[in-house]
Amino acid sequence: MSSAITIKSASEILLMRRANSIVAGALNLVMQHVRPGVSTKELDAIAEDFAKKNGAIPAFKGYRGYPACLCVSINEQVVHGIPSRKVVVQDGDIVSVDFGVSFKGFYGDAALSILVGSQQDENKKKLLQVTRHSLLLGIEQVRAGNRVSDISDAIQSYVESNRFHVVKQFVGHGIGSKLHEAPEVPNYKRPGRSPRLVPGMVLAIEPMVNVGTSDVVVLKDGWTVITSDRSNSAHFEHSVLVTEGEPEILSEAINSQSF
Ligand code: MF3
Ligand code: CO
């Protein structure tokens, strides 16, 4: 992530709209299948199949050795949960699903969390609402002339004012002809000046929010990230284009009209 921030051309932006709308379509389909009894492996197959039928390549499989297409992270799992036949969704679970694809050389990346079943657990609902809203507040800052730190500040201050905690060991990122490009997009304040936003930049903004602590640990599988106190966690992500005006959420399915 040390190379320069890339500015996308109009034709590259078209490809990124398509990549991201395939991601959004896959996530919509996966979410329709998230119910008690489904294995996370089945969800992985649904996403892989959808991507391939739409001419896209799942981006995560093989990325630094990641073994699946989808990340499915349940309850205290923050991100990078590996799909498995043996992991079965239960009523009351928080299920976070993260998916990325490449389409004609350009990437899309998005994630969301849902609460499974009929249980009205107010604490879990609040965690999901605060995390989702923190992403929207971050996106609101995606304007030419602002800095990356405006995004970070908006997310962190909203999350902390709700007495939840942002993860600091993992961050959002630029995205384009690579899944991870410069700049890093942290969900917390860092010392020093961060880059200014320029039209044509695309950022994957992805707040990871925990109930009890910012601290996370990686399980022995080398991937699954969990909260160090085993409290619940949620994750929402969109790939967002900097324009001359309003931010454009490329991973919102509505963009499918534009190709
Ligand atoms: N959305 C995540 C990210 O941007 C997913 C990456 S999973 C990996 O980092 F397997 F590809 F690493
Ligand atoms: Co990402």
Side-chain angles (χ1 to χ4, degrees):
M1 295 236 270
S2 49
S3 39
I5 302 175
T6 59
I7 306 299
K8 279 74 184 178
S9 69
S11 61
E12 291 171 340
I13 289 166
L14 281 172
L15 295 177
M16 293 196 73
R17 282 202 189 100
R18 290 192 65 171
N20 277 289
S21 67
I22 294 166
V23 169
L27 286 173
N28 283 335
L29 188 62
V30 166
M31 283 301 168
Q32 287 169 25
H33 289 82
V34 175
R35 61 173 87 92
V38 75
S39 76
T40 58
K41 185 82 188 169
E42 289 171 80
L43 301 176
D44 185 70
I46 290 166
E48 178 170 22
D49 195 57
F50 184 90
K52 288 180 174 166
K53 284 195 170 121
N54 284 280
I57 303 166
F60 300 168
K61 197 170 206 160
Y63 183 88
R64 299 183 182 213
Y66 186 72
C69 295
L70 199 63
C71 300
V72 188
S73 310
I74 297 178
N75 297 332
E76 77 281 5
Q77 297 179 350
V78 179
V79 287
H80 303 168
I82 301 172
S84 163
R85 265 186 312 107
K86 289 182 258 171
V87 178
V88 173
V89 171
Q90 321 266 316
D91 194 47
D93 278 348
I94 295 170
V95 178
S96 301
V97 179
D98 188 347
F99 191 52
V101 304
S102 69
F103 181 82
K104 298 192 177 168
F106 282 82
Y107 283 83
D109 188 7
L112 76 168
S113 301
I114 58 162
L115 179 55
V116 178
S118 47
Q119 287 184 19
Q120 294 297 306
D121 185 316
E122 293 304 323
N123 295 323
K124 291 178 184 171
K125 283 206 304 203
K126 171 108 189 287
L127 174 66
L128 296 190
Q129 279 164 7
V130 167
T131 310
R132 200 179 82 88
H133 194 64
S134 77
L135 172 57
L136 298 180
L137 292 174
I139 291 170
E140 185 55 37
Q141 296 301 317
V142 177
R143 289 169 189 280
N146 277 3
R147 292 183 187 277
V148 170
S149 58
D150 294 315
I151 301 168
S152 310
D153 287 348
I155 292 170
Q156 182 178 30
S157 55
Y158 179 72
V159 167
E160 292 181 352
S161 73
N162 281 283
R163 292 188 297 280
F164 292 136
H165 305 268
V166 290
V167 171
K168 299 179 177 169
Q169 281 143 278
F170 295 87
V171 297
H173 49 95
I175 179 168
S177 61
K178 288 182 285 184
L179 176 62
H180 293 139
E181 295 186 353
E184 293 196 352
V185 184
N187 299 302
Y188 64 96
K189 198 173 183 56
R190 278 179 178 171
R193 262 216 273 280
S194 65
R196 272 197 202 282
L197 305 183
V198 171
M201 290 180 182
V202 183
L203 303 175
I205 305 172
E206 48 180 318
M208 292 148 263
V209 175
N210 302 343
V211 169
T213 175
S214 278
D215 250 29
V216 297
V217 292
V218 181
L219 295 184
K220 282 206 227 39
D221 63 18
W223 282 102
T224 312
V225 178
I226 67 166
T227 56
S228 63
D229 64 354
R230 311 295 196 267
S231 63
N232 286 322
S233 185
H235 178 213
F236 285 80
E237 176 178 22
H238 270 309
S239 297
V240 185
L241 171 68
V242 184
T243 76
E244 304 280 359
E246 296 290 309
E248 183 183 336
I249 304 175
L250 300 178
S251 43
E252 212 151 53
I254 197 162
N255 286 309
S256 55
Q257 66 199 351
S258 54
F259 60 82

